[in-house]
Amino acid sequence: NELYAYGSNADGRCGISWSSGSFTPTLAEFSKAKTIKQIACGHNHSMILTNDGFLYATGSNEHGQLGLVDDAGNKFSNMTTFRQITDLNKKVVKFCAAGQNFSMVIVKEKNRISVLSCGDKNQGRLGQGENISDRYKFTEIEGFIGVDVKAVYAKKKHAIAVTKGGKIYSWGCGEFGQLGHGSFKNEFVPKEIEFFNDMRVISASVATTHSVVIVKNKQEDTTQVYSFGDNTSGKLGLKSREKVSTPQLIEFYEGKNPSKTFSGGQHSFVLTENMKVTRIRDIHNHTCEVTGQSPIEGQMYVGLVGSKTIYISQEGAQKNPAIIPDLAAFVKEAISPNKEFHWPLIDSQTLDEFLQKEKAQEFTGTVCKLCSVQPIKNILFINMHVPEDEPAEYCCEECATRFNELEVSPTLFYRIQRPLKPGKRLPSIPRTQFYVQSDTFGYNMQIIPKYNEKGHDYIIQKYNESYIAFSNDMNNLKPEVDEQLVDLLNNIAQKQEKNIMEIAETVTFPKDELNIRSSLEKATVDFLRKRFIVLKNFNNKVKNIIPLIDFSARKDEYNRIRNVYSGCNMYIFWDIKAELFDKILYAGVSKTAGNIRIKVNRMKASKFIGKGKPDHTGEYTVFGQLFQYFKTAGYNCFKVTKDANPFSVQFVGEASIDAGGPYREAISQICTELQSTALPLMIQSPNQKNDGGQFREKWILSPSANSLNHMKMYEFLGVLMGTSIRTKNFLNLDLPSFVWKQLVDVPLTRKDLEYIDRYTVQCLDDIVNIHKKGITEESFNDLIQENFITCLSDGSEVELIPNGRSYRVTFDRREEYANLVETFRLNEMKKQAEALRKGLTLVVPEGLLNLLTWRELETLVSVSYTHLTLPTIYSVQISVVAVSLKKKK
């Protein structure tokens, strides 16, 4: 090989002698007699591995990373050209890797594989222990004695090794969690990453502060990509921006067959396997008479002369052209398997009645249908399907044997080598004898008639009244009507055990169901039926598009189809989503009931709750005891199939055997604890506290529960929610749309705030519209004594603007004040909801949440299914506005 280098040559890292570097590729000083197998580039040194198993190095040797020493064991100074590592001459080097000031090699000696390292000892990057000095020559890593390592990877301060059996080890700097052991500490000797115990690693790569691993699931023939370490700039391929110390699945690669990964300092690549496309178009279920090939792939000839039908592949025809009789059928596309066709055979005497005796060099009077060449020479192809009362269609051999992209229907040909006798024509055989005919092909078009002026006026006049009425109803429709109608139709379909598309358009809407949906209560049955038809047509259109949407993608300007779906999600029936929902939810899941048994002390929880203090640390309640266990163990066991529990429960001091009962009891008690003062995660909604407004029974997330431990507790609650979706063991949680919408990434509205705090919304309305009550700028200050502060749902006070306590709300700034209060209140539990969603996505794919509406998520998680009820109307006098929003009753 010729080796070229460019860039900085500081310390001689490029191997181009004393040059300081080059902006253009420069030939490095290395023997052309050697064939290079691998090159490893470290921070300031480089190594070359040749095909004959020798190692060469150049660059900085400050810490001994080149492995070059003199006879006394002293390290050489920096090298400016590639120098052979003679210390390894008696070994065959199989693989090499270079990091920041250290190097590693895999060598074979006397049929024994070993891993050696040299260079900087800091932070354990050599894998040779903690209390060592820099290694100036390659020294064996004792942790790999007896381990069949096939590859090692390094980039900066940590390293990874993969064995032939698919195990993976890591060591070195763990500051960012890049070692994958669930901690941020350094490891000074190789440590197996236990997370991958049930998987086989097929590829790995390391970057400056993160690592990427591709594994094959042992139970299923699927590959997955995991990453861990620093996620700055999204280099883990995960949406969170935290550093993670345990491997996290990158769901994007599900079903994409990833095979190899490569990493730079701050970025990574994943390479997928070649796509395997099943070939069916030209696979014929017959055996070639010449080659014995079965099935025949490609084009096929069918001999029609003699006592039996013979089949010849293209390869067979090339080997023995004479085997194709003077009359044969030519088949390009495989005949439909459900079509049983018996080829008509004729004897030589009958054939002579149709064809002339001698073969022809050209067929007089024939023109190729496709290329217009005339006359056709040597061999003539005749369209077998043209009716006998229409002119025959001829093709030359080149056009007949070519697949035409615009060929709508498959065509069979007669192949003849002797011209037809005058007035003779081979029999026509319909295409339907060979292929299944579909109703449509290509584009499905809708024909819209255009009337002349007189016809147009007649149609308008005849249907004008009903059209105007219907049009007005549809144009003035609020989104809430469709949202509640879809919800009602989903319920009706479920009760009737029918697919919603099978429900008759004359459906009857139960009066009691309409009464609990405020937007439908006054609608006529005729209107609802018409709207059902509109929604049904819309769902018919969209059902073929949904499988094509990447639900793992974020809503942004580059994912327009994903954005469109988000805008119309509420109009889509559940039956349209259900199949895709199950496919996403259970993709790659093979686990059934968990084999983890957890001891839960209900007496301990009861004593603590009796003290009347919330369990802020998450240790004493049933929720807390489970939280503490899985905080350490991780959440992998929660990815189970339906009707299976992720773990079993044993109540301490109680004779219970968990056949499902203790588990359900524990989950039930957790829900009770959450919706009480036993845990700090949820509080009563202001409507519940004030006994007013809609949905006054609801519980909400506590804005004050914002510590790191609280976020972990919310994350665990999200895991439990995700598990309820998987197992169908519902949680008895009574949460408002204010919470559910944030979990499916749907923007909150003023209405959602009203559903949890009607009092505040009415006060804000009265402040903004106070001028309509005759209040002027002069009298405003006497009546309204508010500053730019507000109270959140838990009573905590926040400033709306910097130093807001010092600024009074004036008549001119009252709208600004109202908008600020609304904005702060709509975002008061955003942090808590994000932690909840994060926990959900640890158990269910994030794309699944993007598929759902908030109502559907609530139905899948909670037994308390919310219907919009009749609004409670309040008559708030202007004096109420004067009451401080800080002191709600």
Side-chain angles (χ1 to χ4, degrees):
N1 303 88
E2 286 188 343
L3 179 65
Y4 292 86
Y6 49 95
S8 172
N9 192 37
D11 306 314
R13 66 191 71 175
C14 285
I16 47 180
S17 194
W18 297 104
S19 169
S20 61
S22 176
F23 290 98
T24 57
T26 302
L27 188 64
E29 296 181 19
F30 188 73
S31 172
K32 294 182 181 179
K34 296 286 185 180
T35 301
I36 296 174
K37 176 182 178 182
Q38 184 191 355
I39 299 175
C41 300
H43 179 66
N44 52 12
H45 73 292
S46 307
M47 297 192 297
I48 289 176
L49 174 61
T50 58
N51 271 352
D52 51 10
F54 291 109
L55 188 70
Y56 301 79
T58 186
S60 172
N61 199 32
E62 180 183 359
H63 295 273
Q65 60 262 46
L66 301 185
L68 288 168
V69 294
D70 59 21
D71 293 338
N74 300 313
K75 65 181 177 71
F76 280 102
S77 58
N78 300 346
M79 291 289 124
T80 58
T81 57
F82 284 97
R83 178 83 172 265
Q84 185 175 350
I85 313 302
T86 56
D87 194 46
L88 300 176
N89 281 358
K90 295 183 180 180
K91 302 174 175 64
V92 178
V93 181
K94 310 292 288 184
F95 199 92
C96 65
Q100 182 173 347
N101 302 327
F102 74 108
S103 305
M104 295 182 295
V105 292
I106 300 174
V107 300
K108 185 175 183 180
E109 184 180 17
K110 297 180 181 179
N111 293 323
R112 177 176 172 267
I113 295 292
S114 56
V115 182
L116 289 67
S117 63
C118 65
D120 189 358
K121 67 178 178 64
N122 281 327
Q123 298 172 296
R125 64 190 80 175
L126 294 183
Q128 298 184 28
E130 185 171 3
N131 299 315
I132 63 170
S133 58
D134 289 353
R135 299 298 195 210
Y136 297 155
K137 66 178 183 177
F138 282 100
T139 306
E140 184 170 8
I141 301 177
E142 294 182 357
F144 285 127
I145 294 178
V147 179
D148 199 2
V149 177
K150 71 172 183 179
V152 287
Y153 306 95
K155 188 69 64 179
K156 192 173 183 183
K157 299 178 182 179
H158 77 290
I160 277 179
V162 178
T163 70
K164 290 184 178 179
K167 294 186 177 296
I168 184 169
Y169 297 78
S170 65
W171 65 95
C173 176
E175 178 184 358
F176 296 93
Q178 62 264 48
L179 301 184
H181 299 304
S183 69
F184 299 94
K185 65 178 185 179
N186 301 336
E187 296 292 343
F188 294 88
V189 294
K191 181 178 179 181
E192 185 178 352
I193 304 179
E194 295 180 356
F195 180 89
F196 298 111
N197 279 356
D198 296 330
M199 311 171 198
R200 182 166 63 85
V201 176
I202 58 176
S203 181
S205 64
V206 299
T208 302
T209 54
H210 75 277
S211 307
V212 182
V213 177
I214 300 179
V215 299
K216 185 173 285 290
N217 193 307
K218 289 183 179 180
Q219 284 76 31
E220 299 180 6
D221 190 25
T222 57
T223 50
Q224 298 172 316
V225 182
Y226 289 85
S227 61
F228 40 97
D230 182 25
N231 196 30
T232 306
S233 303
K235 52 193 169 187
L236 293 185
L238 305 172
K239 293 186 178 180
S240 67
R241 289 194 172 272
E242 302 176 13
K243 55 184 180 181
V244 292
S245 58
T246 55
Q248 303 292 314
L249 176 66
I250 306 179
E251 294 179 357
F252 174 83
Y253 296 106
E254 293 291 319
K256 291 183 169 59
N257 294 324
S259 60
K260 294 180 181 179
T261 177
F262 308 88
S263 292
Q266 306 291 330
H267 67 291
S268 298
F269 290 91
V270 169
L271 183 66
T272 64
E273 291 180 352
N274 291 338
M275 181 181 277
K276 297 178 180 178
V277 180
T278 304
R279 184 176 170 185
I280 59 173
R281 187 178 183 185
D282 56 352
I283 303 294
H284 312 277
N285 192 25
H286 297 289
T287 302
C288 177
E289 190 76 14
V290 178
T291 65
Q293 177 189 8
S294 180
I296 293 175
E297 298 183 7
Q299 300 166 352
M300 178 178 72
Y301 299 94
V302 182
L304 303 179
V305 181
S307 59
K308 74 167 187 174
T309 307
I310 63 171
Y311 303 92
I312 305 113
S313 66
Q314 192 74 10
E315 181 183 359
Q318 291 172 353
K319 286 185 176 181
N320 186 7
I323 196 172
I324 304 178
D326 290 339
L327 175 63
F330 175 67
V331 185
K332 286 191 293 186
E333 299 191 38
I335 295 171
S336 298
N338 58 341
K339 292 289 184 179
E340 295 185 5
F341 180 77
H342 300 285
W343 293 98
L345 296 176
I346 61 175
D347 54 38
S348 299
Q349 184 177 352
T350 307
L351 182 63
D352 290 340
E353 295 177 7
F354 285 87
L355 304 182
Q356 298 179 19
K357 290 186 178 181
E358 301 297 330
K359 293 183 179 181
Q361 295 296 318
E362 58 182 39
F363 294 84
T364 307
T366 59
V367 180
C368 179
K369 174 75 174 179
L370 298 177
C371 68
S372 300
V373 66
Q374 58 177 322
I376 296 173
K377 299 180 179 181
N378 300 322
I379 297 174
L380 180 67
F381 288 80
I382 306 172
N383 190 326
M384 191 181 289
H385 314 304
V386 176
E388 294 180 10
D389 58 348
E390 295 181 11
E393 290 183 3
Y394 305 112
C395 276
C396 64
E397 185 173 19
E398 181 181 353
C399 291
T401 56
R402 183 178 65 233
F403 269 115
N404 298 304
E405 293 182 6
L406 300 179
E407 193 172 302
V408 173
S409 300
T411 302
L412 273 64
F413 293 92
Y414 288 115
R415 177 189 185 273
I416 61 175
Q417 302 178 64
R418 294 154 49 190
L420 284 164
K421 288 182 176 180
K424 291 292 184 178
R425 183 163 177 172
L426 296 171
S428 173
I429 305 177
R431 193 177 270 110
T432 52
Q433 295 287 319
F434 304 96
Y435 301 102
V436 175
Q437 298 294 103
S438 61
D439 295 331
T440 59
F441 180 88
Y443 294 103
N444 184 12
M445 295 177 287
Q446 181 180 9
I447 308 300
I448 302 176
K450 284 190 175 182
Y451 299 99
N452 58 26
E453 188 175 347
K454 185 176 180 180
H456 186 266
D457 290 342
Y458 171 78
I459 294 295
I460 289 180
Q461 184 177 358
K462 183 175 181 179
Y463 298 104
N464 188 51
E465 187 174 340
S466 58
Y467 171 77
I468 291 175
F470 179 75
S471 179
N472 288 338
D473 286 341
M474 297 301 158
N475 289 335
N476 298 327
L477 201 66
K478 294 182 179 179
E480 292 85 358
V481 174
D482 280 332
E483 185 179 8
Q484 293 181 29
L485 180 56
V486 169
D487 176 52
L488 173 58
L489 291 166
N490 284 335
N491 275 359
I492 292 173
Q494 187 176 11
K495 289 178 181 179
Q496 295 183 4
E497 297 183 351
K498 286 184 177 180
N499 186 297
I500 200 168
M501 305 302 282
E502 297 173 357
I503 295 177
E505 293 169 358
T506 56
V507 58
T508 300
F509 298 100
K511 189 67 177 177
D512 58 332
E513 293 282 357
L514 294 175
N515 288 340
I516 61 173
R517 293 172 172 84
S518 57
S519 296
L520 304 183
E521 184 189 16
K522 297 180 180 180
T524 65
V525 173
D526 182 60
F527 168 78
L528 293 177
R529 287 174 176 171
K530 288 178 179 177
R531 194 60 187 174
F532 176 35
I533 295 173
V534 173
L535 290 170
K536 202 172 184 179
N537 287 335
F538 170 74
N539 277 267
N540 259 327
K541 301 288 185 186
V542 82
K543 67 181 180 182
N544 295 323
I545 300 175
I546 288 181
L548 307 178
I549 300 174
D550 181 6
F551 287 99
S552 65
R554 292 183 178 182
K555 289 189 294 184
D556 57 44
E557 59 182 316
Y558 301 109
N559 293 297
R560 287 183 290 179
I561 191 168
R562 166 78 177 83
N563 298 344
V564 170
Y565 176 86
S566 299
C568 65
N569 192 4
M570 69 176 73
Y571 307 114
I572 302 174
F573 300 142
W574 173 248
D575 286 328
I576 301 297
K577 306 175 186 178
E579 183 179 350
L580 182 60
F581 172 85
D582 284 340
K583 183 178 179 181
I584 295 176
L585 180 60
Y586 297 112
V589 174
S590 60
K591 296 181 181 178
T592 53
N595 55 8
I596 299 173
R597 173 163 293 195
I598 304 174
K599 294 182 178 180
V600 174
N601 192 329
R602 287 202 285 189
M603 186 63 69
K604 173 184 175 181
S606 179
K607 287 181 180 179
F608 178 82
I609 293 172
K611 296 177 182 179
K613 296 181 180 179
D615 187 7
H616 280 285
T617 57
E619 297 180 64
Y620 307 103
T621 55
V622 173
F623 176 93
Q625 293 174 51
L626 293 176
F627 166 66
Q628 289 298 329
Y629 179 88
F630 288 108
K631 183 179 179 181
T632 304
Y635 303 128
N636 280 336
C637 69
F638 287 88
K639 292 185 176 181
V640 293
T641 56
K642 62 180 71 173
D643 303 320
N645 297 330
F647 58 90
S648 59
V649 172
Q650 179 182 350
F651 292 125
V652 176
E654 303 178 45
S656 63
I657 299 176
D658 195 348
Y663 172 83
R664 288 189 291 272
E665 284 185 45
I667 296 299
S668 178
Q669 185 162 341
I670 283 174
C671 295
T672 302
E673 291 171 351
L674 286 165
Q675 295 172 134
S676 70
T677 57
L679 287 165
L681 304 184
M682 292 185 184
I683 58 174
Q684 295 176 329
S685 71
N687 280 352
Q688 186 177 168
K689 293 176 185 176
N690 300 330
D691 194 26
Q694 293 177 271
F695 311 123
R696 61 190 72 177
E697 72 281 3
K698 299 298 179 185
W699 290 76
I700 58 175
L701 309 181
S702 174
S704 294
N706 54 16
S707 70
L708 180 60
N709 197 58
H710 287 146
M711 293 301 108
K712 292 295 182 182
M713 292 168 73
Y714 278 120
E715 186 177 307
F716 179 56
L717 175 55
V719 169
L720 294 179
M721 285 182 167
T723 307
S724 73
I725 295 175
R726 285 188 171 277
T727 64
K728 312 303 180 188
N729 285 320
F730 302 115
L731 303 181
N732 189 12
L733 296 178
D734 211 349
L735 308 177
S737 61
F738 200 98
V739 176
W740 297 115
K741 281 189 175 182
Q742 294 184 77
L743 298 184
V744 293
D745 196 21
V746 172
L748 295 175
T749 65
R750 182 184 180 87
K751 202 71 176 175
D752 297 309
L753 178 59
E754 183 180 350
Y755 288 155
I756 67 168
D757 194 350
R758 170 65 177 166
Y759 180 84
T760 292
V761 172
Q762 280 196 314
C763 287
L764 293 177
D765 286 342
D766 283 335
I767 288 177
V768 171
N769 299 311
I770 200 169
H771 61 286
K772 296 179 181 179
K773 302 290 184 178
I775 304 301
T776 62
E777 185 173 357
E778 290 73 19
S779 56
F780 180 87
N781 292 334
D782 296 331
L783 186 61
I784 305 299
Q785 299 179 8
E786 289 288 340
N787 294 339
F788 274 86
I789 56 176
T790 192
C791 281
L792 304 181
S793 294
D794 59 358
S796 58
E797 193 176 89
V798 293
E799 291 184 321
L800 302 175
I801 59 175
N803 200 24
R805 289 183 176 84
S806 303
Y807 291 94
R808 285 283 301 275
V809 178
T810 62
F811 185 84
D812 292 337
R813 300 186 68 182
R814 69 188 191 281
E815 291 188 15
E816 177 190 358
Y817 167 77
N819 290 335
L820 286 171
V821 171
E822 183 177 325
T823 300
F824 269 74
R825 292 300 305 280
L826 289 176
N827 289 280
E828 65 179 358
M829 56 190 80
K830 183 178 180 181
K831 185 177 180 182
Q832 291 76 9
E834 287 177 348
L836 207 58
R837 180 180 167 101
K838 180 181 177 183
L840 260 170
T841 59
L842 292 175
V843 180
V844 300
E846 187 169 10
L848 186 106
L849 298 181
N850 297 331
L851 175 70
L852 303 174
T853 66
W854 71 267
R855 289 177 180 277
E856 290 163 349
L857 178 62
E858 181 188 26
T859 307
L860 293 165
V861 171
S862 172
V863 295
S864 174
Y865 181 47
T866 301
H867 294 296
L868 292 178
T869 56
L870 289 171
T872 304
I873 307 300
Y874 298 90
S875 177
V876 180
Q877 303 299 324
I878 195 66
S879 58
V880 174
V881 182
V883 180
S884 172
L885 292 177
K886 295 175 290 183
K887 306 294 182 183
K888 299 178 190 165
K889 295 183 180 179

